Amino acid sequence: MSSVEALERAKNTPNCHYMRPPIDAFGTLSFGEFDEIYRVGYEYGRKFMADLRERRILPVVEEAEEARGWLKRTRMVRRASV
């Protein structure tokens, strides 16, 4: 499968939210612009996630914490068996 096909499949996967930050202005080898690329991606992701929360696609933090209650059992430290 090509990377284009894999990307299209991922985009169409239920509950998968594809994010593409506006980084077209940067070249593949723009290592010297790392800080700016990072900033652009971070800001894009922050706004993207805020939009998902606002539209109630993602739970707010309090709801997520409540839902984790059932995970407590699976997060317990376990002793390794031999």
Side-chain angles (χ1 to χ4, degrees):
M1 172 185 323
S2 74
S3 59
V4 173
E5 290 170 329
L7 175 61
E8 287 306 313
R9 198 165 89 197
K11 285 180 182 179
N12 294 315
T13 301
N15 298 314
C16 180
H17 302 282
Y18 177 71
M19 296 171 47
R20 187 171 192 296
I23 55 168
D24 290 333
F26 304 100
T28 303
L29 302 176
S30 298
F31 300 115
E33 297 179 83
F34 175 84
D35 290 336
E36 180 62 13
I37 296 168
Y38 179 88
R39 187 193 64 73
V40 167
Y42 178 82
E43 286 301 318
Y44 178 84
R46 192 177 62 73
K47 290 174 184 172
F48 189 94
M49 298 301 286
D51 179 60
L52 291 179
R53 279 189 212 98
E54 187 176 299
R55 295 185 309 161
R56 308 288 290 167
I57 293 171
L58 291 181
V60 293
V61 174
E62 292 81 19
E63 292 170 356
E65 290 297 320
E66 286 177 20
R68 275 194 211 161
W70 68 271
L71 287 176
K72 287 180 183 174
R73 180 177 55 84
T74 62
R75 290 185 174 178
M76 292 172 46
V77 177
R78 295 185 180 175
R79 181 175 62 87
S81 302
V82 284

